[in-house]
Amino acid sequence: MESKREIKHILVVKFNEGATEQQIEECIKQFCNLVDLVPSIKAFKWGKEMGIVNLNQGFTHVFEATFESAEDVAAYVSNPNHANYASLLMPLVEKFVVLDFEPVGKPQP
Amino acid sequence: MESKREIKHILVVKFNEGATEQQIEECIKQFCNLVDLVPSIKAFKWGKEMGIVNLNQGFTHVFEATFESAEDVAAYVSNPNHANYASLLMPLVEKFVVLDFEPVGKPQP
């Protein structure tokens, strides 16, 4: 059996200009609820882009879910609760990127 | 004094089509060396986009540094070693996004 890995699944979003603060807050709340519905998500964090450096290309929010395998990510994406959530999120979003990576540190010399 | 925070500083990169594996490996190695030169970086991870879902918009790599304050991020960005590294990285990069966020979990009800 494959040993446990750590896969970060990152969604970077630019909300529409027209999306209200209330809609965005509701969206984030529903995202957190989604996490409760998908047990294979081992951790979940989100945050607002802080604008410390001016290279965000307009993206406003980051959502980061942690999984133990690529299969768990794929199962999450195909989960009907995910599709329901996406249908709520997408009308509010101008652009987005999804990235999966297995974080590693400094390579051994 | 402000208590310690956790700020994630994420660089998402699409390397040029012309960038060789060797150039990319060297670039990652130099990034890791840069981390050793900037003590305010509290943690550093990187990973290759895995292509589990086909929504990466062409981005190929994620680099994630952790800081304790927005000031530490700004100091890192203005560090001369960072400028040196950027001059190595940028010719190999087709596009990139920089995002800073303070990760939070599920909001309290």
Side-chain angles (χ1 to χ4, degrees):
Chain A
M1 201 176 113
E2 190 193 27
S3 66
K4 280 180 192 176
R5 297 159 68 192
E6 185 192 62
I7 313 275
K8 296 283 184 188
H9 177 79
I10 291 188
L11 169 66
V12 184
V13 161
K14 178 184 184 181
F15 280 101
N16 285 329
E17 299 287 330
T20 65
E21 278 304 310
Q22 200 184 351
Q23 283 175 315
I24 293 172
E25 270 176 37
E26 180 61 24
C27 208
I28 292 166
K29 197 176 137 194
Q30 292 299 326
F31 207 147
C32 294
N33 289 341
L34 172 64
V35 172
D36 289 338
L37 297 171
V38 184
S40 63
I41 301 177
K42 296 307 168 194
F44 174 75
K45 297 275 182 180
W46 70 276
K48 208 168 170 178
E49 210 291 299
M50 297 166 71
I52 300 173
V53 292
N54 193 21
L55 296 165
N56 59 27
Q57 318 295 354
F59 290 105
T60 57
H61 292 72
V62 180
F63 301 89
E64 185 201 83
T66 306
F67 295 87
E68 288 178 354
S69 70
E71 291 71 22
D72 280 356
V73 176
Y76 160 65
V77 172
S78 64
N79 186 302
N81 290 302
H82 180 273
N84 285 345
Y85 178 70
S87 68
L88 172 76
L89 175 67
M90 285 304 139
L92 299 176
V93 162
E94 184 179 317
K95 63 177 181 175
F96 69 101
V97 181
V98 179
L99 302 154
D100 292 286
F101 68 105
E102 190 167 2
V104 290
K106 189 174 178 172
Q108 296 306 307
Chain B
M1 201 177 113
E2 191 192 28
S3 65
K4 279 181 192 174
R5 297 159 68 191
E6 185 191 63
I7 313 275
K8 296 284 184 189
H9 177 79
I10 291 189
L11 169 66
V12 184
V13 161
K14 179 185 183 181
F15 280 101
N16 285 329
E17 299 287 328
T20 65
E21 278 304 309
Q22 201 183 350
Q23 284 175 313
I24 293 173
E25 270 176 36
E26 180 61 24
C27 208
I28 291 166
K29 197 176 138 193
Q30 292 299 327
F31 207 148
C32 295
N33 288 342
L34 172 64
V35 172
D36 289 339
L37 298 171
V38 184
S40 62
I41 301 176
K42 297 307 169 196
F44 174 74
K45 298 277 181 176
W46 70 276
K48 208 167 168 178
E49 209 291 299
M50 297 167 73
I52 300 173
V53 292
N54 192 22
L55 297 166
N56 60 26
Q57 318 294 354
F59 290 104
T60 57
H61 291 72
V62 180
F63 302 88
E64 184 201 81
T66 306
F67 295 86
E68 288 178 353
S69 69
E71 292 71 22
D72 280 357
V73 176
Y76 161 66
V77 172
S78 63
N79 187 302
N81 290 303
H82 180 273
N84 285 345
Y85 178 71
S87 68
L88 172 77
L89 175 66
M90 284 305 138
L92 299 175
V93 162
E94 185 179 316
K95 63 176 180 175
F96 68 101
V97 182
V98 179
L99 302 155
D100 292 286
F101 68 106
E102 189 166 3
V104 290
K106 187 173 178 170
Q108 297 305 310

